[in-house]
Amino acid sequence: MSDLEQIPFGASEFAENPEPRCPCLLLLDTSQSMAGVPIEELNQGLATFKQELAADTLAMKRVELAIVTFGPVQMLSDFQTPDRFMPPNLTSSGDTPMGAAISGGLEMIRQRKATYKANGVPYYRPWVFLITDGAPTDSWEAAAAEVRAGEEQRGFSFLAVAVEGANVDILSRISVRPPLKLSGLRFRDLFAWLSSSLSHVSRSQIGQGVRLAPPGWAEV
Amino acid sequence: MSGLQQPVEVLDSRGQPLRLGRKIGQGGEGTVFEIVGAPETVAKIYSQPMLPQRAEKIRAMAAMRTPEIEKLTAWPTELLLLRSGAPVGLKMPTVVGHKDIHQLYSPKSRRSEFPGADWRFLVRAAANLCRAFATVHEASGVIADVNHGGVLVAQDARVRLIDCDSFQITASGKRYLCDVGVPIFTPPELQGLVFTGLVRTPNHDNFGLAVLIFLMLFMGRHPFAGRYLGTGEMPVERAIREHRFAYGVNHAAAQMQPPPGTAPLNILSAPVVRLFERAFARDAARAGRPTAREWMAALDVLEGELVQCTASSSHWHIAGLQDCPWCRMEGATGVGLFSATASVGATRYFDLDAFWKQITTLEPPGPLPSLVNPVAENRIPLSPYARQFRRRRRFHLPIALFVAALPMAAAFVDLPVLARLFFIVTGIILFVLVKLVLKAQLSTIGFIERERAYREQWEGVLAEWKAKAGPGAFDARRAELERLRGAWRELDEIRSRRMAETAAGKEIRQRRRFLEGFEVADAEVPGLTPSRKSLLESFGIETAADIDEKALYTVPDFGVKLIDDLIAWRAAIERRFRFDASQPDDIQEIDLIEREMLVHRARLEAEFRRGLQDLQQLRNQILFARTSLHGKGQDAYIDNLQAAADLKAVTK
């Protein structure tokens, strides 16, 4: 550490906790159609998510969460470890600008990776988790191309979850992996699964495939 | 195996049944249970049927136990069987009061999980880890799957190796292999190889050992995780394979730089530096890496050479450095590396001035960019609807004139005056009527409504833009932190004031302590019988310090005379009191103030840390909103301009 060396912003975060990072981005549909029970269940699911992650000390240091909601597109939180993550209370309003949410979210991932690299912190392949009950109301073709390119370069893994009412046809044109259909409103099961999967990944070796538990919350 | 949660009957090696209790943990291979009635041991039950080879290995391991091995590891003590005779698991000692090693080497968890641990502690724990490795190696074992999950550390820096059943063991000429490994602890010569069937050596272990020691001494940093200056990705495994030790003497040639804000290798004494260079050298596979014993000796010497930093009591480093490496790191990053809560009055480890730099280097999002574009405002072309409207309206006058012209023409024919007048009037009426009819057909209502709708939409979008993309939330949080900074500075003042008050109270307290030295039981006051003395005691009046008029009047049967005598007794004692300013004051009082200050400081410190995170988040959220809302804002702005321009054009 020479005297003249610049310390980039964010260095304190990594000086304090230099563990490899396992970033996970949630893209959540909060459009009008989610109003009522669905959004309530989603909020409950996010609270469960935090609780379950908190039980795993290693995951608490390695997993990083970010949330972007759409309807309208908004960054609810940028990447941060679960101890700092406060489960939000989402409300529903507006249309479904899914394309803009995906593009914005993928940009956040690019920036986060650059920060990891600048700070010499190893990282796992990021996860992007899209949850929607509708169809995009904006143009999504460019976002779909970004998703395809990113998956091909192994830049991230993109998973789409279709809630009842979602346009599965468009989702399967956005996501390279086949979209999973949420059975009923089992958001809590979904997030419990996501938490244990992230715990699992954060204990695994970077760059090695991990066999995840079958998603019990999905329709077969 | 479905019987896993409620295991069927399990027998120990002598055929005695064991009662399994609570489930303690679950790993990839099996589940660990308490054993009822034997709290010093636990049972690991495998989830897959055990191969005969594995059962034989456990038996061999149990046979090779020594007191040294038992102290440093959770070595299997016996094989467990089902009643059918099939092997099902193993028994091993319980390890209590130990925590995962990653809790120790990451500064964040170290502060909470190992509050007393300074760098001496880390050096000691690293040396103890070497003892454990040496013991296994000298018993002709190889740990093989070295990783951060296999080492536990106690609050006294003692170390235990766990998951011993995966070690590579040689017993009675037979070798039992280990089929797993963790890449970031795997030496370059084994990177990318399949572990199944691979014979491991202590020299392989010694790579993983060096990585673990590095993690412990360098605040959780991996020796091969650095900033790669070339292009493309440089995962840790690849850096290991390509010998790119980020802190080593050859780091520049390897195109690697240590991460920012980390300590350099030369915070270690030269012998320890040489050990790291040897462990991570290109020829280490052939030339041999430092053994656990070599490390042990060097680390023991290192610990003896450490000196305390003059500025911070929680900082220990080698002598002869220009400045304390931990002060520099904490100063550069604002992060407290070691907990200083061990003793009251310890020097503060939270350096607000250093931390504040982080806040000031965080660039504010700046003023809200405008969505309004004056250039566009002057150049907005009319919409096709408005153009069509105007085109159609241009024909109104010619049509009306043409219709009115017919009767008017008749007025020029040679007719009686009255008839001429009639045609002129008819012509005018027709002109007006035609104009009115045409105008009614071409209503501007649509334009008015469009203008209102777009204006409202624009107003809505603008409000959202201001709320989400404006710097307000960031600036407010920043101002709040400025206020807290003021509160932090006032703490020193409050502390000195409290200390001064304490000094002023010093005489009062000294006097009280003096008076407390004289017990009522020993008082010689006429009429104060032993029974009255015990009555006084039952009223809480035990020493001269407790004597005062008000208290005495509450005691039944005490006359004025007796009360006066008692007060005189106290006064006589008090006259003998001499205040001695040089006497040390009541340590408890000062402790109390210091503790209170610590609590205040800790609370403010937490506020500052949270504040910095909030600022970071707010800044990113605002910048994100500026990108994500800009297109929508521009569209709403143009739509509104268009509708307004159209309306203006059609109502002119």
Side-chain angles (χ1 to χ4, degrees), chain B residues 355-413:
Chain B
F355 191 81
W356 198 255
K357 260 190 255 158
Q358 299 266 329
I359 290 178
T360 50
T361 50
L362 183 59
E363 206 183 319
L368 182 71
S370 175
L371 289 172
V372 174
N373 182 348
V375 180
E377 210 153 335
N378 297 326
R379 277 202 206 146
I380 200 106
L382 288 189
S383 71
Y385 311 106
R387 278 207 303 277
Q388 194 189 16
F389 186 98
R390 301 230 303 183
R391 215 169 31 242
R392 282 170 68 185
R393 202 172 55 185
R394 265 209 305 278
F395 292 110
H396 289 189
L397 190 65
I399 291 170
L401 281 175
F402 177 74
V403 172
L406 293 171
M408 290 293 239
F412 292 99
V413 180

Side-chain angles (χ1 to χ4, degrees), chain B residues 154-286:
Chain B
Q155 294 295 330
D156 61 2
R158 277 191 295 183
V159 161
R160 290 285 278 269
L161 302 179
I162 56 167
D163 293 339
C164 304
D165 51 328
S166 77
F167 290 2
Q168 176 183 301
I169 295 300
T170 309
S172 337
K174 198 162 172 197
R175 193 185 276 138
Y176 302 92
L177 298 179
C178 167
D179 291 341
V180 286
V182 169
I184 63 168
F185 294 92
T186 299
E189 65 269 26
L190 299 187
Q191 284 288 334
L193 298 186
V194 177
F195 292 119
T196 312
L198 195 68
V199 176
R200 320 281 262 276
T201 66
N203 195 42
H204 296 150
D205 267 8
N206 292 338
F207 179 86
L209 175 64
V211 171
L212 278 172
I213 296 170
F214 195 92
L215 285 167
M216 294 169 83
L217 300 185
F218 287 85
M219 311 291 114
R221 296 286 184 168
H222 193 285
F224 290 85
R227 278 191 296 192
Y228 175 51
L229 304 177
T231 51
E233 301 277 326
M234 182 51 67
V236 173
E237 300 88 310
R238 186 179 153 202
I240 293 176
R241 201 167 52 235
E242 298 171 358
H243 310 281
R244 297 177 193 268
F245 175 33
Y247 299 74
V249 67
N250 293 323
H251 74 90
Q255 288 187 284
M256 290 291 268
Q257 255 182 16
T262 52
L265 208 52
N266 65 18
I267 61 159
L268 300 168
S269 55
V272 184
V273 171
R274 278 197 296 277
L275 292 185
F276 275 121
E277 294 285 10
R278 264 177 62 204
F280 301 138
R282 195 170 279 276
D283 65 349
R286 238 179 339 96

Side-chain angles (χ1 to χ4, degrees), chain A residues 86-203:
Chain A
M86 286 305 208
N89 186 29
L90 302 175
T91 51
S92 58
S93 71
D95 50 2
T96 314
M98 194 187 295
I102 294 173
S103 299
L106 297 186
E107 176 58 29
M108 282 164 66
I109 286 186
R110 270 190 292 278
Q111 288 183 6
R112 193 62 182 164
K113 280 193 190 174
T115 306
Y116 294 148
K117 280 183 192 161
N119 285 285
V121 168
Y123 58 91
Y124 296 83
R125 195 191 306 180
W127 281 26
V128 186
F129 226 73
L130 171 75
I131 301 179
T132 179
D133 73 335
T137 51
D138 62 350
S139 69
W140 49 270
E141 288 79 2
E146 278 184 70
V147 171
R148 253 190 316 280
E151 285 268 18
E152 262 165 36
Q153 293 154 14
R154 303 174 146 257
F156 52 80
S157 303
F158 189 97
L159 279 119
V161 177
V163 182
E164 180 70 45
N167 185 329
V168 181
D169 180 46
I170 293 182
L171 280 186
S172 44
R173 281 151 74 193
I174 292 174
S175 171
V176 176
R177 296 153 210 271
L180 294 164
K181 281 177 87 173
L182 183 68
S183 76
L185 290 173
R186 295 176 59 187
F187 283 110
R188 267 175 276 190
D189 296 341
L190 161 66
F191 280 107
W193 174 86
L194 184 58
S195 158
S196 80
S197 300
L198 286 171
S199 288
H200 213 72
V201 170
S202 67
R203 285 187 185 276

Side-chain angles (χ1 to χ4, degrees), chain A residues 50-106:
Chain A
K50 158 121 196 190
Q51 275 167 21
E52 303 241 335
L53 278 175
D56 181 343
T57 55
L58 195 61
M60 282 296 264
K61 290 198 280 190
R62 293 189 165 187
V63 173
E64 287 194 335
L65 301 174
I67 298 185
V68 169
T69 55
F70 49 101
V73 181
Q74 192 181 352
M75 181 205 287
L76 227 55
S77 57
D78 203 350
F79 289 101
Q80 54 186 350
T81 44
D83 55 329
R84 299 173 176 181
F85 166 73
M86 286 305 208
N89 186 29
L90 302 175
T91 51
S92 58
S93 71
D95 50 2
T96 314
M98 194 187 295
I102 294 173
S103 299
L106 297 186

